């Protein structure tokens, strides 16, 4: 008899059984649902760390406070990436980001770096980065028209594939965020950011960032908190 062998074997069987059970689980019990719930919880916590005033927005200067304290060259590199990606996110040019823009910014930062570059003190770097990687893959797989937009049928297929069910209110949720796009003529669609909102309403219905409750008022642009831009000689 090998000491501890059978106990380890038993634990391994339990782990496989748990994994198999989660793979067959439906809705909130499914592994993907649980995984995304944990990722959203981390994102909410990280956003609230920046949002000291509690007004539901983070300005650019506040965001730079989360950058890791690394050597000057690396910090400038991260700042350059952050400024470029922040401009992509800040569509209304108010120099601030709401929760969903923050999620999108985090997603963009992980495309050529890591979530840690945006939020050094996050307690869930790994799960958030993994979630962004998986979500991009799942989003692309669900995009039946290959136009970087999802139709209601695409979203329903996503739910079936990953949650093994279609939420009863999915059409209502989709309708709230969908729009008409020339990318997919004749059908309403959602982009990646709206997809995040749809998932929030499905997975975290009690969140303070639920789109029906989260209605922050955009800040007036503060000239004292404008981005510091480098000017050539």
């Amino acid at each position: 008899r090998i000491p501890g062998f059978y106990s380890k074997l038993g634990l391994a069987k339990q782990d496989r059984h748990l994994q198999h059970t989660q793979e067959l689980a439906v809705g909130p019990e499914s592994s993907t649902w649980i995984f995304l719930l944990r990722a959203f919880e981390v994102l909410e916590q990280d956003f609230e760390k920046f949002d000291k005033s509690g007004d539901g927005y983070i300005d650019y200067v506040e965001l730079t406070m989360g950058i890791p304290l690394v050597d000057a060259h690396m910090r400038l590199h991260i700042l350059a990436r952050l400024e470029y990606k922040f401009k992509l996110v800040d569509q209304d040019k108010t120099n601030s980001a709401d929760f969903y823009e923050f999620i999108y910014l985090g997603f963009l930062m992980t495309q050529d770096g890591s979530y840690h570059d945006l939020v050094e003190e996050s307690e869930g770097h790994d799960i958030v980065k993994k979630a962004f990687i998986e979500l991009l893959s799942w989003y692309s797989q669900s995009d039946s028209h290959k136009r970087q937009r999802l139709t209601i049928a695409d979203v329903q297929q996503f739910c079936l594939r990953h949650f093994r069910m279609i939420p009863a209110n999915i059409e209502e949720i989709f309708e709230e965020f969908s729009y008409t796009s020339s990318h997919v003529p004749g059908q309403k669609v959602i982009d990646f950011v709206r997809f995040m909102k749809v998932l929030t309403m499905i997975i975290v219905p009690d969140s303070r960032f639920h789109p029906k409750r989260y209605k922050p008022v955009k800040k007036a642009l503060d000239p004292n908190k404008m981005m510091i831009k480098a000017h050539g000689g």
Side-chain angles (χ1 to χ4, degrees):
R1 180 184 178 90
I2 303 174
F5 174 77
Y6 291 102
S7 61
K8 290 180 181 178
L9 183 62
L11 289 174
K13 287 183 177 179
Q14 289 178 15
D15 289 342
R16 287 197 298 272
H17 176 71
L18 177 60
Q19 182 179 0
H20 180 67
T21 300
Q22 288 183 333
E23 287 174 353
L24 296 178
V26 175
E29 303 301 321
S30 65
S31 58
T32 301
W33 190 298
I34 294 170
F35 167 63
L36 291 177
L37 176 60
R38 290 173 59 200
F40 275 123
E41 288 173 345
V42 172
L43 287 164
E44 288 186 8
Q45 292 167 7
D46 291 343
F47 182 86
E48 289 172 343
K49 288 176 184 176
F50 285 113
D51 183 22
K52 301 297 184 183
S53 64
D55 63 0
Y57 279 100
I58 305 171
D59 65 39
Y60 179 77
V61 173
E62 289 173 330
L63 276 171
T64 62
M65 302 301 177
I67 293 177
L69 296 176
V70 291
D71 65 83
H73 176 74
M74 180 60 70
R75 184 173 174 80
L76 284 174
H77 175 66
I78 295 174
L79 277 169
R81 287 173 47 232
L82 176 61
E83 181 171 350
Y84 172 72
K85 296 175 191 300
F86 186 84
K87 288 178 180 177
L88 297 178
V89 169
D90 185 25
Q91 295 291 322
D92 53 11
K93 309 304 179 187
T94 58
N95 211 38
S96 61
D98 65 20
F99 176 65
Y100 294 98
E101 290 169 333
F102 172 76
I103 290 180
Y104 189 39
L105 180 61
F107 168 75
L108 292 176
M109 290 295 285
T110 62
Q111 298 307 292
D112 56 1
S114 73
Y115 182 68
H116 181 267
D117 293 340
L118 179 64
V119 192
E120 181 182 25
E121 296 182 358
S122 174
E123 297 178 1
H125 299 122
D126 294 339
I127 189 171
V128 170
K129 180 167 184 176
K130 183 179 179 182
F132 284 143
I133 292 171
E134 295 286 13
L135 281 168
L136 179 60
S137 174
W138 296 336
Y139 184 84
S140 299
Q141 291 170 8
S142 302
D143 179 14
S144 61
H145 293 83
K146 304 307 175 187
R147 297 287 185 171
Q148 298 182 2
R149 304 290 188 278
L150 301 185
T151 64
I152 180 61
D154 293 335
V155 175
Q156 289 172 330
Q157 283 301 311
F158 167 86
C159 291
L160 275 177
R161 184 179 298 114
H162 297 286
F163 304 148
R164 300 178 65 83
M165 52 84 78
I166 297 177
N169 59 343
I170 189 63
E171 291 187 15
E172 177 186 347
I173 294 174
F174 181 87
E175 183 64 26
E176 183 168 347
F177 299 110
S178 62
Y179 62 98
T180 302
S181 170
S182 59
H183 290 275
V184 187
Q187 296 191 62
K188 287 189 173 182
V189 296
I190 56 174
D191 55 26
F192 187 78
V193 176
R194 289 175 173 82
F195 182 54
M196 294 298 98
K197 292 184 177 182
V198 168
L199 287 178
T200 301
M201 291 185 72
I202 294 172
I203 297 172
V204 203
D206 297 327
S207 169
R208 64 165 284 217
F209 297 108
H210 188 292
K212 287 191 174 180
R213 288 187 293 273
Y214 177 59
K215 305 288 184 182
V217 178
K218 273 286 187 181
K219 301 175 182 178
L221 188 59
D222 184 348
N224 295 318
K225 288 190 174 183
M226 293 292 288
M227 290 185 211
I228 300 174
K229 297 183 179 180
H231 296 281

